[in-house]
Amino acid sequence: MYDTALVTLKERLSSQAALVVPRGSAAGAEKSHEELVNWAEEALYRRAMASLAQDNIDRGADELAVYIRVMDNVTPATFRVFRRLRANRLHMQLERQSIGADSSAATQAKERVMASHRRQMALLKATYAFPRANEAHAEVLAEVDGAARDWELVRAFSRVESLRLLEVLYEAVFLTFNSPQVLRHLVHVLVRFGDYHEARLAFVTYRELVERQLERVKKALGSGSKIDSGLESVNNILRTVVVGARLFLVHLDSAHDCLSVVHFANDLIDDVEARDPDHQIIPPVPETIRAQVALWKGAAHGRLAQRSREPSNRADHHCAALQLLRQAAELNPQLYEAHYFLALELALGTRDIAAATAAAKQAAALDATRLDAWHLLVLLSTARKDYAKALQICEVAMRQSVWWPAYNESQPDANKSEESVAHSHTLHDKDAKAPMGSVDAGMDFFGLAMTHMAIEGRHHGFDTSLDAQPRLFALYASVFGSVVAAGDESDDVASAMEAAGISIGLLAVGDLRTGHHTHPSHL
Protein backbone atom coordinates (compact mmCIF):
# COMPACT_ATOMS: atom_id res chain seq x y z
CA MET A 1 0.00 0.00 0.00
CA TYR A 2 2.71 2.46 0.98
CA ASP A 3 4.85 1.53 -2.04
CA THR A 4 1.91 2.32 -4.34
CA ALA A 5 1.25 5.58 -2.53
CA LEU A 6 4.86 6.65 -2.91
CA VAL A 7 4.97 5.89 -6.64
CA THR A 8 1.72 7.71 -7.26
CA LEU A 9 2.81 10.70 -5.23
CA LYS A 10 6.11 11.05 -7.07
CA GLU A 11 4.43 10.71 -10.47
CA ARG A 12 1.61 13.20 -9.90
CA LEU A 13 3.18 15.68 -7.49
CA SER A 14 6.81 15.55 -6.28
CA SER A 15 9.05 13.77 -3.83
CA GLN A 16 8.71 16.69 -1.38
CA ALA A 17 4.91 17.11 -1.72
CA ALA A 18 3.10 18.76 1.16
CA LEU A 19 -0.60 19.10 1.89
CA VAL A 20 -2.52 21.23 4.38
CA VAL A 21 -5.08 19.10 6.21
CA PRO A 22 -7.59 20.80 8.53
CA ARG A 23 -7.65 19.11 11.90
CA GLY A 24 -11.33 19.94 12.16
CA SER A 25 -12.13 17.70 9.20
CA ALA A 26 -13.81 14.35 9.50
CA ALA A 27 -10.41 12.64 9.64
CA GLY A 28 -9.03 14.79 12.42
CA ALA A 29 -9.83 16.14 15.84
CA GLU A 30 -12.05 19.20 16.22
CA LYS A 31 -9.37 21.91 16.34
CA SER A 32 -9.28 25.17 14.46
CA HIS A 33 -5.59 25.28 13.41
CA GLU A 34 -4.06 23.31 10.54
CA GLU A 35 -1.12 20.92 10.31
CA LEU A 36 1.54 20.62 7.61
CA VAL A 37 1.94 16.97 6.58
CA ASN A 38 4.73 15.67 4.31
CA TRP A 39 3.10 12.64 2.75
CA ALA A 40 6.30 11.31 1.22
CA GLU A 41 7.93 11.26 4.64
CA GLU A 42 4.82 9.75 6.20
CA ALA A 43 4.63 6.96 3.64
CA LEU A 44 8.33 6.09 3.97
CA TYR A 45 8.07 5.91 7.74
CA ARG A 46 4.80 3.97 7.88
CA ARG A 47 6.03 1.50 5.27
CA ALA A 48 9.02 0.60 7.44
CA MET A 49 6.90 0.39 10.60
CA ALA A 50 4.37 -1.84 8.87
CA SER A 51 7.07 -4.29 7.76
CA LEU A 52 8.51 -4.43 11.29
CA ALA A 53 5.03 -4.91 12.77
CA GLN A 54 4.60 -7.92 10.45
CA ASP A 55 7.93 -9.35 11.73
CA ASN A 56 9.60 -8.81 8.38
CA ILE A 57 12.74 -7.57 10.11
CA ASP A 58 15.14 -7.56 7.16
CA ARG A 59 12.78 -5.66 4.88
CA GLY A 60 11.76 -3.29 7.67
CA ALA A 61 15.41 -2.50 8.46
CA ASP A 62 16.15 -1.78 4.79
CA GLU A 63 13.08 0.46 4.50
CA LEU A 64 13.99 2.23 7.69
CA ALA A 65 17.47 2.86 6.27
CA VAL A 66 15.85 4.37 3.14
CA TYR A 67 13.72 6.65 5.31
CA ILE A 68 16.74 7.81 7.30
CA ARG A 69 18.81 8.41 4.18
CA VAL A 70 16.03 10.45 2.54
CA MET A 71 15.48 12.52 5.66
CA ASP A 72 19.20 13.34 5.88
CA ASN A 73 18.67 15.53 2.79
CA VAL A 74 15.35 17.09 3.78
CA THR A 75 14.77 20.84 4.01
CA PRO A 76 14.55 22.23 6.63
CA ALA A 77 17.19 20.01 8.23
CA THR A 78 15.30 19.77 11.53
CA PHE A 79 12.04 18.55 9.95
CA ARG A 80 10.50 15.64 11.92
CA VAL A 81 13.55 15.57 14.18
CA PHE A 82 11.86 13.62 17.00
CA ARG A 83 10.61 10.92 14.64
CA ARG A 84 14.03 10.70 13.02
CA LEU A 85 15.60 10.26 16.46
CA ARG A 86 13.33 7.30 17.16
CA ALA A 87 13.83 5.84 13.70
CA ASN A 88 17.62 6.09 13.87
CA ARG A 89 17.70 4.59 17.37
CA LEU A 90 15.51 1.70 16.21
CA HIS A 91 17.69 1.14 13.15
CA MET A 92 20.82 0.99 15.34
CA GLN A 93 19.13 -1.63 17.52
CA LEU A 94 18.27 -3.72 14.46
CA GLU A 95 21.84 -3.35 13.17
CA ARG A 96 23.19 -4.46 16.53
CA GLN A 97 20.97 -7.54 16.53
CA SER A 98 21.97 -8.47 12.97
CA ILE A 99 25.68 -8.28 13.84
CA GLY A 100 25.53 -10.44 16.96
CA ALA A 101 28.78 -12.35 17.37
CA ASP A 102 29.55 -12.47 13.64
CA SER A 103 32.97 -10.85 13.20
CA SER A 104 32.63 -10.58 9.40
CA ALA A 105 29.25 -8.85 9.77
CA ALA A 106 30.80 -6.48 12.30
CA THR A 107 33.53 -5.53 9.85
CA GLN A 108 31.03 -4.87 7.07
CA ALA A 109 28.77 -2.82 9.34
CA LYS A 110 31.54 -0.77 10.96
CA GLU A 111 31.18 2.32 8.77
CA ARG A 112 27.36 2.26 8.96
CA VAL A 113 27.42 1.95 12.74
CA MET A 114 29.78 4.90 13.19
CA ALA A 115 27.75 7.05 10.76
CA SER A 116 24.52 6.18 12.60
CA HIS A 117 25.89 7.37 15.92
CA ARG A 118 27.18 10.60 14.38
CA ARG A 119 23.66 11.15 12.96
CA GLN A 120 22.08 10.40 16.33
CA MET A 121 24.26 12.96 18.07
CA ALA A 122 23.46 15.61 15.45
CA LEU A 123 19.74 14.96 15.90
CA LEU A 124 20.11 15.13 19.68
CA LYS A 125 21.85 18.50 19.37
CA ALA A 126 18.90 19.74 17.31
CA THR A 127 16.51 18.51 20.00
CA TYR A 128 18.18 19.34 23.32
CA ALA A 129 19.87 22.42 24.72
CA PHE A 130 22.34 22.69 27.58
CA PRO A 131 20.58 21.11 30.58
CA ARG A 132 18.96 23.08 33.35
CA ALA A 133 19.47 22.23 37.00
CA ASN A 134 18.48 18.63 37.78
CA GLU A 135 18.16 17.80 34.05
CA ALA A 136 20.04 14.66 33.05
CA HIS A 137 19.12 14.30 29.36
CA ALA A 138 18.79 10.53 29.63
CA GLU A 139 18.49 10.22 25.84
CA VAL A 140 21.97 11.70 25.40
CA LEU A 141 23.45 9.43 28.07
CA ALA A 142 21.82 6.39 26.46
CA GLU A 143 23.41 7.37 23.14
CA VAL A 144 26.82 7.69 24.80
CA ASP A 145 26.54 4.19 26.27
CA GLY A 146 25.29 2.83 22.96
CA ALA A 147 28.14 4.40 21.00
CA ALA A 148 30.80 3.00 23.33
CA ARG A 149 29.17 -0.43 23.24
CA ASP A 150 28.88 -0.45 19.43
CA TRP A 151 32.50 0.64 18.93
CA GLU A 152 33.45 -2.42 20.96
CA LEU A 153 31.02 -4.58 19.02
CA VAL A 154 32.48 -3.72 15.60
CA ARG A 155 36.03 -3.50 17.04
CA ALA A 156 36.59 0.05 15.83
CA PHE A 157 39.90 0.48 17.66
CA SER A 158 42.09 2.30 15.14
CA ARG A 159 43.19 5.87 15.77
CA VAL A 160 40.84 7.26 13.13
CA GLU A 161 37.91 5.26 14.50
CA SER A 162 38.73 6.35 18.05
CA LEU A 163 38.63 9.96 16.87
CA ARG A 164 35.12 9.46 15.56
CA LEU A 165 33.99 8.08 18.92
CA LEU A 166 35.67 11.01 20.67
CA GLU A 167 33.69 13.37 18.43
CA VAL A 168 30.45 11.82 19.71
CA LEU A 169 31.62 11.96 23.33
CA TYR A 170 32.83 15.56 23.19
CA GLU A 171 29.56 16.63 21.54
CA ALA A 172 27.73 14.91 24.41
CA VAL A 173 29.64 17.11 26.85
CA PHE A 174 27.75 20.12 25.41
CA LEU A 175 24.42 18.41 26.14
CA THR A 176 25.19 17.26 29.67
CA PHE A 177 26.55 18.92 32.77
CA ASN A 178 29.37 17.24 34.70
CA SER A 179 28.25 13.75 33.69
CA PRO A 180 30.50 11.03 35.13
CA GLN A 181 29.03 8.68 32.56
CA VAL A 182 30.45 10.71 29.65
CA LEU A 183 33.78 11.19 31.40
CA ARG A 184 34.05 7.46 32.08
CA HIS A 185 33.91 6.71 28.38
CA LEU A 186 36.29 9.57 27.63
CA VAL A 187 38.91 8.08 29.96
CA HIS A 188 38.74 4.70 28.23
CA VAL A 189 38.91 6.09 24.69
CA LEU A 190 41.65 8.65 25.42
CA VAL A 191 43.84 5.93 26.95
CA ARG A 192 43.26 3.75 23.89
CA PHE A 193 44.09 6.67 21.58
CA GLY A 194 47.29 7.43 23.47
CA ASP A 195 46.63 10.97 24.72
CA TYR A 196 47.56 10.17 28.30
CA HIS A 197 47.69 13.80 29.44
CA GLU A 198 44.09 14.40 28.36
CA ALA A 199 43.10 11.03 29.83
CA ARG A 200 44.61 12.06 33.16
CA LEU A 201 42.59 15.29 33.20
CA ALA A 202 39.40 13.39 32.36
CA PHE A 203 40.08 10.82 35.09
CA VAL A 204 40.80 13.45 37.76
CA THR A 205 37.52 15.19 36.91
CA TYR A 206 35.68 11.88 36.91
CA ARG A 207 36.99 11.01 40.34
CA GLU A 208 35.90 14.38 41.77
CA LEU A 209 32.39 13.94 40.38
CA VAL A 210 31.91 10.38 41.61
CA GLU A 211 33.17 11.34 45.07
CA ARG A 212 30.29 13.82 45.25
CA GLN A 213 27.84 11.19 44.04
CA LEU A 214 29.14 8.68 46.56
CA GLU A 215 28.05 10.98 49.38
CA ARG A 216 24.49 10.56 48.13
CA VAL A 217 25.01 6.80 47.87
CA LYS A 218 26.21 6.63 51.47
CA LYS A 219 23.18 8.60 52.64
CA ALA A 220 20.88 6.23 50.77
CA LEU A 221 22.63 3.22 52.31
CA GLY A 222 22.36 4.76 55.76
CA SER A 223 18.63 5.32 55.40
CA GLY A 224 17.96 2.03 53.61
CA SER A 225 16.42 3.78 50.61
CA LYS A 226 17.02 3.02 46.94
CA ILE A 227 19.87 4.67 45.06
CA ASP A 228 18.96 7.06 42.25
CA SER A 229 19.14 5.31 38.89
CA GLY A 230 21.08 8.20 37.33
CA LEU A 231 24.12 7.73 39.58
CA GLU A 232 27.24 5.84 38.57
CA SER A 233 27.22 2.26 39.80
CA VAL A 234 29.94 1.20 42.24
CA ASN A 235 31.26 -1.43 39.84
CA ASN A 236 31.51 1.10 36.99
CA ILE A 237 33.43 3.41 39.30
CA LEU A 238 35.82 0.62 40.29
CA ARG A 239 36.39 -0.45 36.67
CA THR A 240 37.26 3.12 35.73
CA VAL A 241 39.52 3.45 38.77
CA VAL A 242 41.40 0.34 37.61
CA VAL A 243 41.93 1.98 34.21
CA GLY A 244 43.15 5.12 35.98
CA ALA A 245 45.57 3.14 38.13
CA ARG A 246 47.08 1.50 35.06
CA LEU A 247 47.24 4.89 33.34
CA PHE A 248 49.26 6.42 36.18
CA LEU A 249 51.66 3.50 36.64
CA VAL A 250 52.25 2.24 33.08
CA HIS A 251 51.83 5.34 30.95
CA LEU A 252 52.58 8.25 33.30
CA ASP A 253 55.14 6.44 35.49
CA SER A 254 53.65 7.78 38.72
CA ALA A 255 53.53 5.06 41.37
CA HIS A 256 52.36 7.49 44.07
CA ASP A 257 49.34 8.60 42.01
CA CYS A 258 48.59 4.95 41.28
CA LEU A 259 48.61 4.16 45.00
CA SER A 260 46.30 7.10 45.70
CA VAL A 261 43.82 5.74 43.17
CA VAL A 262 43.83 2.15 44.45
CA HIS A 263 43.53 3.36 48.06
CA PHE A 264 40.40 5.20 46.97
CA ALA A 265 39.11 1.97 45.43
CA ASN A 266 39.85 -0.08 48.55
CA ASP A 267 38.17 2.51 50.78
CA LEU A 268 35.11 2.46 48.54
CA ILE A 269 34.87 -1.34 48.64
CA ASP A 270 35.25 -1.44 52.45
CA ASP A 271 32.76 1.40 52.99
CA VAL A 272 30.08 -0.13 50.77
CA GLU A 273 30.44 -3.58 52.33
CA ALA A 274 30.26 -2.10 55.82
CA ARG A 275 27.05 -0.21 55.02
CA ASP A 276 25.43 -2.96 52.92
CA PRO A 277 26.94 -6.28 54.09
CA ASP A 278 24.08 -8.38 52.65
CA HIS A 279 24.25 -6.62 49.25
CA GLN A 280 20.55 -5.84 49.29
CA ILE A 281 21.05 -2.48 47.57
CA ILE A 282 24.45 -2.65 45.90
CA PRO A 283 25.58 -5.86 44.15
CA PRO A 284 28.82 -7.46 45.37
CA VAL A 285 32.11 -6.43 43.81
CA PRO A 286 33.29 -9.15 41.38
CA GLU A 287 36.49 -11.01 42.18
CA THR A 288 37.97 -9.86 38.87
CA ILE A 289 37.76 -6.22 39.96
CA ARG A 290 39.23 -7.01 43.39
CA ALA A 291 42.08 -8.83 41.67
CA GLN A 292 42.86 -5.82 39.46
CA VAL A 293 42.81 -3.43 42.41
CA ALA A 294 45.28 -5.70 44.26
CA LEU A 295 47.36 -6.04 41.09
CA TRP A 296 47.97 -2.34 40.52
CA LYS A 297 48.51 -1.67 44.20
CA GLY A 298 51.13 -4.41 44.27
CA ALA A 299 52.72 -3.22 41.03
CA ALA A 300 52.96 0.32 42.42
CA HIS A 301 54.66 -0.95 45.58
CA GLY A 302 57.05 -2.93 43.38
CA ARG A 303 57.94 0.19 41.40
CA LEU A 304 58.58 2.12 44.62
CA ALA A 305 60.72 -0.73 45.95
CA GLN A 306 62.94 -0.52 42.86
CA ARG A 307 63.43 3.23 43.27
CA SER A 308 63.65 3.57 47.03
CA ARG A 309 67.03 4.54 48.46
CA GLU A 310 66.19 3.60 52.03
CA PRO A 311 66.73 -0.11 52.76
CA SER A 312 63.81 -0.24 55.22
CA ASN A 313 61.41 1.40 52.78
CA ARG A 314 62.59 -0.87 50.00
CA ALA A 315 61.93 -3.96 52.11
CA ASP A 316 58.46 -2.73 53.14
CA HIS A 317 57.44 -1.98 49.56
CA HIS A 318 58.82 -5.31 48.37
CA CYS A 319 56.92 -7.33 50.99
CA ALA A 320 53.71 -5.43 50.23
CA ALA A 321 54.19 -5.98 46.48
CA LEU A 322 54.68 -9.73 46.84
CA GLN A 323 51.66 -10.10 49.11
CA LEU A 324 49.33 -8.08 46.88
CA LEU A 325 50.48 -9.63 43.61
CA ARG A 326 50.03 -13.15 44.98
CA GLN A 327 46.60 -12.12 46.21
CA ALA A 328 45.71 -10.84 42.73
CA ALA A 329 46.85 -14.10 41.14
CA GLU A 330 44.76 -16.11 43.62
CA LEU A 331 41.65 -13.98 43.06
CA ASN A 332 41.95 -14.27 39.29
CA PRO A 333 44.36 -16.98 38.10
CA GLN A 334 43.74 -15.89 34.48
CA LEU A 335 45.02 -12.35 35.08
CA TYR A 336 48.15 -12.04 32.93
CA GLU A 337 49.53 -8.90 34.57
CA ALA A 338 49.37 -10.43 38.06
CA HIS A 339 51.74 -13.27 37.09
CA TYR A 340 53.99 -10.98 35.04
CA PHE A 341 54.45 -8.33 37.74
CA LEU A 342 54.91 -11.07 40.34
CA ALA A 343 57.70 -12.54 38.22
CA LEU A 344 59.24 -9.10 37.80
CA GLU A 345 59.18 -8.44 41.54
CA LEU A 346 60.66 -11.86 42.34
CA ALA A 347 63.44 -11.24 39.83
CA LEU A 348 64.30 -7.69 40.88
CA GLY A 349 63.40 -7.75 44.55
CA THR A 350 64.69 -11.10 45.78
CA ARG A 351 66.74 -12.38 42.82
CA ASP A 352 64.72 -15.61 43.08
CA ILE A 353 65.37 -16.79 39.52
CA ALA A 354 63.52 -20.10 39.85
CA ALA A 355 60.31 -18.58 41.28
CA ALA A 356 60.44 -15.67 38.83
CA THR A 357 60.84 -18.11 35.92
CA ALA A 358 57.82 -20.13 37.05
CA ALA A 359 55.63 -17.00 37.32
CA ALA A 360 56.81 -15.66 33.95
CA LYS A 361 56.07 -19.02 32.29
CA GLN A 362 52.55 -18.92 33.71
CA ALA A 363 52.04 -15.41 32.30
CA ALA A 364 53.33 -16.44 28.86
CA ALA A 365 51.02 -19.45 28.89
CA LEU A 366 48.02 -17.20 29.54
CA ASP A 367 48.77 -14.89 26.60
CA ALA A 368 51.56 -15.95 24.25
CA THR A 369 51.16 -12.88 22.02
CA ARG A 370 52.32 -10.47 24.74
CA LEU A 371 56.08 -10.34 24.68
CA ASP A 372 56.99 -8.74 28.01
CA ALA A 373 56.72 -12.06 29.91
CA TRP A 374 58.72 -13.81 27.16
CA HIS A 375 61.34 -11.05 27.34
CA LEU A 376 61.63 -11.54 31.09
CA LEU A 377 62.12 -15.28 30.57
CA VAL A 378 64.96 -14.52 28.16
CA LEU A 379 66.66 -12.22 30.68
CA LEU A 380 66.25 -14.79 33.44
CA SER A 381 68.00 -17.37 31.23
CA THR A 382 70.89 -14.97 30.65
CA ALA A 383 71.13 -14.47 34.42
CA ARG A 384 71.89 -18.20 34.63
CA LYS A 385 74.45 -17.81 31.79
CA ASP A 386 72.31 -20.15 29.67
CA TYR A 387 72.64 -18.19 26.42
CA ALA A 388 71.58 -21.09 24.19
CA LYS A 389 68.31 -21.39 26.12
CA ALA A 390 67.84 -17.63 25.96
CA LEU A 391 68.23 -17.62 22.18
CA GLN A 392 65.78 -20.49 21.89
CA ILE A 393 63.17 -18.63 23.96
CA CYS A 394 63.76 -15.49 21.89
CA GLU A 395 63.09 -17.31 18.64
CA VAL A 396 59.93 -18.95 19.98
CA ALA A 397 58.66 -15.67 21.43
CA MET A 398 59.25 -13.61 18.30
CA ARG A 399 57.20 -16.04 16.24
CA GLN A 400 54.18 -15.31 18.48
CA SER A 401 54.05 -11.67 17.42
CA VAL A 402 52.13 -10.24 14.45
CA TRP A 403 55.37 -8.41 13.58
CA TRP A 404 57.30 -11.63 12.98
CA PRO A 405 56.34 -12.13 9.29
CA ALA A 406 57.58 -8.66 8.31
CA TYR A 407 60.79 -9.14 10.30
CA ASN A 408 61.39 -12.64 8.95
CA GLU A 409 60.76 -11.63 5.32
CA SER A 410 63.49 -9.01 5.53
CA GLN A 411 66.11 -11.64 6.45
CA PRO A 412 68.89 -11.53 3.82
CA ASP A 413 69.57 -14.64 1.79
CA ALA A 414 73.17 -15.79 1.51
CA ASN A 415 72.67 -16.33 -2.24
CA LYS A 416 71.48 -12.77 -2.83
CA SER A 417 73.79 -9.98 -3.82
CA GLU A 418 74.20 -6.92 -1.63
CA GLU A 419 72.22 -4.85 -4.14
CA SER A 420 69.23 -7.21 -4.04
CA VAL A 421 69.31 -7.28 -0.23
CA ALA A 422 69.33 -3.49 -0.10
CA HIS A 423 66.50 -3.46 -2.65
CA SER A 424 64.45 -5.84 -0.49
CA HIS A 425 64.89 -3.57 2.52
CA THR A 426 63.82 -0.58 0.45
CA LEU A 427 60.68 -2.37 -0.61
CA HIS A 428 60.04 -3.37 2.98
CA ASP A 429 60.34 0.24 4.10
CA LYS A 430 57.87 1.34 1.45
CA ASP A 431 55.42 -1.26 2.61
CA ALA A 432 55.90 -0.26 6.26
CA LYS A 433 52.62 1.64 6.18
CA ALA A 434 50.73 -1.62 5.78
CA PRO A 435 48.93 -2.54 9.00
CA MET A 436 50.93 -5.30 10.72
CA GLY A 437 50.28 -4.57 14.37
CA SER A 438 50.03 -1.81 16.89
CA VAL A 439 52.98 0.46 17.57
CA ASP A 440 53.10 -0.71 21.19
CA ALA A 441 53.36 -4.35 20.08
CA GLY A 442 56.00 -3.31 17.56
CA MET A 443 58.05 -1.60 20.27
CA ASP A 444 57.95 -4.76 22.40
CA PHE A 445 59.01 -6.82 19.39
CA PHE A 446 61.83 -4.42 18.55
CA GLY A 447 63.11 -4.59 22.14
CA LEU A 448 63.10 -8.38 22.04
CA ALA A 449 64.90 -8.36 18.67
CA MET A 450 67.58 -6.08 20.13
CA THR A 451 68.02 -8.47 23.06
CA HIS A 452 68.27 -11.38 20.62
CA MET A 453 71.05 -9.59 18.74
CA ALA A 454 72.95 -8.83 21.96
CA ILE A 455 72.75 -12.46 23.13
CA GLU A 456 73.92 -13.70 19.74
CA GLY A 457 76.92 -11.41 20.04
CA ARG A 458 77.74 -12.80 23.47
CA HIS A 459 77.15 -16.44 22.51
CA HIS A 460 78.39 -16.67 18.89
CA GLY A 461 80.56 -13.61 18.57
CA PHE A 462 79.84 -10.03 17.59
CA ASP A 463 80.46 -10.71 13.90
CA THR A 464 77.33 -12.88 13.95
CA SER A 465 75.24 -10.19 15.61
CA LEU A 466 76.20 -7.70 12.90
CA ASP A 467 74.29 -9.80 10.36
CA ALA A 468 71.01 -8.95 12.12
CA GLN A 469 71.50 -5.19 11.98
CA PRO A 470 70.03 -4.62 8.47
CA ARG A 471 66.85 -6.36 9.60
CA LEU A 472 66.77 -4.29 12.78
CA PHE A 473 67.03 -1.05 10.81
CA ALA A 474 64.19 -2.18 8.55
CA LEU A 475 62.14 -3.16 11.61
CA TYR A 476 62.82 0.22 13.20
CA ALA A 477 61.52 1.99 10.09
CA SER A 478 58.38 -0.16 10.14
CA VAL A 479 57.63 0.36 13.83
CA PHE A 480 58.66 3.96 14.37
CA GLY A 481 58.36 5.41 10.87
CA SER A 482 54.76 6.54 11.28
CA VAL A 483 55.50 7.89 14.77
CA VAL A 484 58.45 9.99 13.59
CA ALA A 485 56.52 11.25 10.57
CA ALA A 486 53.58 12.30 12.75
CA GLY A 487 55.77 14.66 14.83
CA ASP A 488 55.60 15.58 18.49
CA GLU A 489 51.80 16.03 18.49
CA SER A 490 50.93 12.59 17.13
CA ASP A 491 49.17 11.59 20.36
CA ASP A 492 47.45 14.93 20.91
CA VAL A 493 43.70 14.51 20.37
CA ALA A 494 43.07 18.20 19.66
CA SER A 495 45.71 18.29 16.91
CA ALA A 496 44.50 15.00 15.45
CA MET A 497 40.90 16.24 15.33
CA GLU A 498 41.98 19.47 13.69
CA ALA A 499 43.92 17.51 11.08
CA ALA A 500 40.85 15.33 10.49
CA GLY A 501 38.57 18.33 10.04
CA ILE A 502 36.54 17.58 13.18
CA SER A 503 35.33 20.71 14.99
CA ILE A 504 33.71 19.96 18.32
CA GLY A 505 30.57 21.95 19.00
CA LEU A 506 29.81 22.61 15.31
CA LEU A 507 28.12 19.32 14.41
CA ALA A 508 24.66 20.07 13.02
CA VAL A 509 21.84 18.14 11.38
CA GLY A 510 22.62 19.87 8.08
CA ASP A 511 26.03 18.17 8.06
CA LEU A 512 24.28 14.84 7.49
CA ARG A 513 23.38 15.72 3.92
CA THR A 514 25.19 13.94 1.13
CA GLY A 515 28.69 15.29 0.74
CA HIS A 516 28.94 16.79 4.22
CA HIS A 517 30.18 13.77 6.16
CA THR A 518 33.54 13.92 7.88
CA HIS A 519 35.84 11.09 6.86
CA PRO A 520 39.24 11.52 8.53
CA SER A 521 40.69 8.70 6.46
CA HIS A 522 43.77 10.71 5.52
CA LEU A 523 45.25 10.40 9.01
Side-chain angles (χ1 to χ4, degrees):
M1 179 180 67
Y2 290 112
D3 292 336
T4 304
L6 281 171
V7 172
T8 304
L9 185 68
K10 291 180 180 180
E11 288 177 351
R12 299 188 180 182
L13 298 175
S14 72
S15 61
Q16 297 293 330
L19 186 67
V20 176
V21 180
R23 281 187 178 271
S25 63
E30 295 183 359
K31 292 187 179 180
S32 58
H33 62 278
E34 297 175 341
E35 180 186 40
L36 185 67
V37 179
N38 187 309
W39 288 105
E41 180 272 337
E42 189 75 18
L44 284 171
Y45 180 76
R46 295 298 175 187
R47 178 180 66 173
M49 293 299 104
S51 296
L52 293 175
Q54 296 170 2
D55 291 332
N56 195 340
I57 304 300
D58 293 338
R59 179 177 177 179
D62 293 339
E63 292 170 347
L64 202 59
V66 172
Y67 169 78
I68 293 170
R69 187 165 56 251
V70 170
M71 295 306 291
D72 282 347
N73 297 281
V74 76
T75 301
T78 56
F79 180 68
R80 291 277 198 251
V81 65
F82 288 103
R83 175 178 284 182
R84 291 160 65 187
L85 265 174
R86 294 194 299 270
N88 195 57
R89 183 172 63 247
L90 176 59
H91 186 261
M92 288 191 294
Q93 292 174 358
L94 296 173
E95 187 86 69
R96 197 175 297 129
Q97 293 172 5
S98 67
I99 294 173
D102 189 348
S103 58
S104 61
T107 302
Q108 296 172 3
K110 183 182 295 187
E111 187 63 36
R112 296 196 304 271
V113 167
M114 292 189 292
S116 295
H117 282 287
R118 187 172 188 271
R119 177 186 298 109
Q120 191 74 355
M121 185 53 64
L123 293 170
L124 287 169
K125 287 189 65 178
T127 306
Y128 294 101
F130 190 77
R132 301 174 184 174
N134 297 324
E135 272 188 338
H137 287 174
E139 181 91 9
V140 179
L141 298 179
E143 161 56 19
V144 167
D145 280 343
R149 181 174 62 252
D150 286 348
W151 252 255
E152 294 282 343
L153 178 65
V154 300
R155 301 192 64 78
F157 297 146
S158 72
R159 292 173 62 83
V160 175
E161 292 158 353
S162 296
L163 278 180
R164 297 179 70 174
L165 178 55
L166 285 170
E167 179 188 17
V168 173
L169 295 176
Y170 279 128
E171 292 289 355
V173 172
F174 287 89
L175 301 178
T176 56
F177 180 71
N178 287 343
S179 169
Q181 192 170 329
V182 177
L183 285 167
R184 165 165 42 93
H185 293 302
L186 274 175
V187 171
H188 287 271
V189 182
L190 287 168
V191 169
R192 182 191 305 158
F193 183 83
D195 192 340
Y196 304 125
H197 173 71
E198 195 72 18
R200 176 186 175 277
L201 296 177
F203 177 79
V204 170
T205 306
Y206 174 83
R207 179 177 172 180
E208 291 177 356
L209 293 176
V210 296
E211 284 179 346
R212 297 177 195 171
Q213 287 193 356
L214 287 173
E215 295 299 325
R216 297 164 60 184
V217 173
K218 293 174 183 178
K219 290 181 180 179
L221 292 176
S223 60
S225 58
K226 291 185 177 180
I227 300 174
D228 296 342
S229 58
L231 299 181
E232 278 281 274
S233 70
V234 171
N235 285 340
N236 275 340
I237 293 173
L238 291 173
R239 291 188 184 96
T240 309
V241 165
V242 167
V243 173
R246 188 180 190 278
L247 167 68
F248 282 119
L249 185 67
V250 175
H251 300 299
L252 300 178
D253 195 22
S254 177
H256 289 288
D257 286 334
C258 178
L259 279 179
S260 172
V261 169
V262 293
H263 284 156
F264 165 73
N266 282 326
D267 291 342
L268 174 58
I269 294 173
D270 295 340
D271 198 1
V272 167
E273 291 194 342
R275 295 172 184 269
D276 185 22
D278 298 328
H279 306 294
Q280 296 179 355
I281 300 176
I282 297 179
V285 178
E287 295 294 309
T288 54
I289 295 180
R290 294 176 182 270
Q292 290 180 329
V293 172
L295 158 67
W296 295 114
K297 187 176 181 180
H301 277 293
R303 184 72 57 84
L304 292 174
Q306 298 166 24
R307 297 179 177 177
S308 178
R309 297 182 179 179
E310 297 292 332
S312 59
N313 289 342
R314 190 183 307 120
D316 292 341
H317 286 304
H318 172 68
C319 291
L322 288 180
Q323 179 184 356
L324 288 162
L325 292 170
R326 284 172 175 147
Q327 178 185 350
E330 291 174 2
L331 289 171
N332 185 6
Q334 303 301 315
L335 188 56
Y336 171 90
E337 289 90 349
H339 298 285
Y340 169 70
F341 280 105
L342 177 60
L344 192 65
E345 186 60 28
L346 288 168
L348 297 177
T350 61
R351 303 297 193 269
D352 190 343
I353 305 300
T357 300
K361 284 182 178 180
Q362 197 162 358
L366 289 173
D367 190 350
T369 61
R370 298 179 65 171
L371 299 183
D372 39 10
W374 286 105
H375 204 158
L376 181 57
L377 281 172
V378 172
L379 297 176
L380 290 170
S381 295
T382 61
R384 295 192 298 266
K385 308 298 183 182
D386 192 350
Y387 298 114
K389 184 69 172 180
L391 286 174
Q392 182 183 358
I393 296 173
C394 260
E395 292 166 0
V396 172
M398 292 167 71
R399 284 179 170 81
Q400 311 302 317
S401 174
V402 294
W403 286 89
W404 167 253
Y407 180 72
N408 188 46
E409 288 171 5
S410 64
Q411 182 174 3
D413 191 343
N415 297 323
K416 291 183 180 180
S417 63
E418 293 184 1
E419 292 181 0
S420 62
V421 171
H423 180 64
S424 68
H425 289 314
T426 303
L427 290 177
H428 178 73
D429 291 344
K430 287 181 179 179
D431 295 336
K433 294 182 180 179
M436 289 172 288
S438 69
V439 174
D440 290 338
M443 292 171 64
D444 291 339
F445 185 85
F446 183 77
L448 187 58
M450 290 284 291
T451 301
H452 183 267
M453 183 191 70
I455 297 172
E456 273 195 328
R458 177 66 66 89
H459 189 53
H460 297 298
F462 291 104
D463 291 339
T464 304
S465 65
L466 289 175
D467 295 337
Q469 292 197 7
R471 282 198 295 168
L472 285 175
F473 279 110
L475 177 64
Y476 181 88
S478 299
V479 174
F480 298 100
S482 59
V483 177
V484 174
D488 295 335
E489 296 182 347
S490 60
D491 291 330
D492 182 67
V493 165
S495 300
M497 284 188 165
E498 183 179 355
I502 299 175
S503 299
I504 301 302
L506 300 181
L507 178 63
V509 181
D511 295 337
L512 302 176
R513 296 173 182 168
T514 304
H516 290 270
H517 294 273
T518 300
H519 294 291
S521 57
H522 61 279
L523 282 180

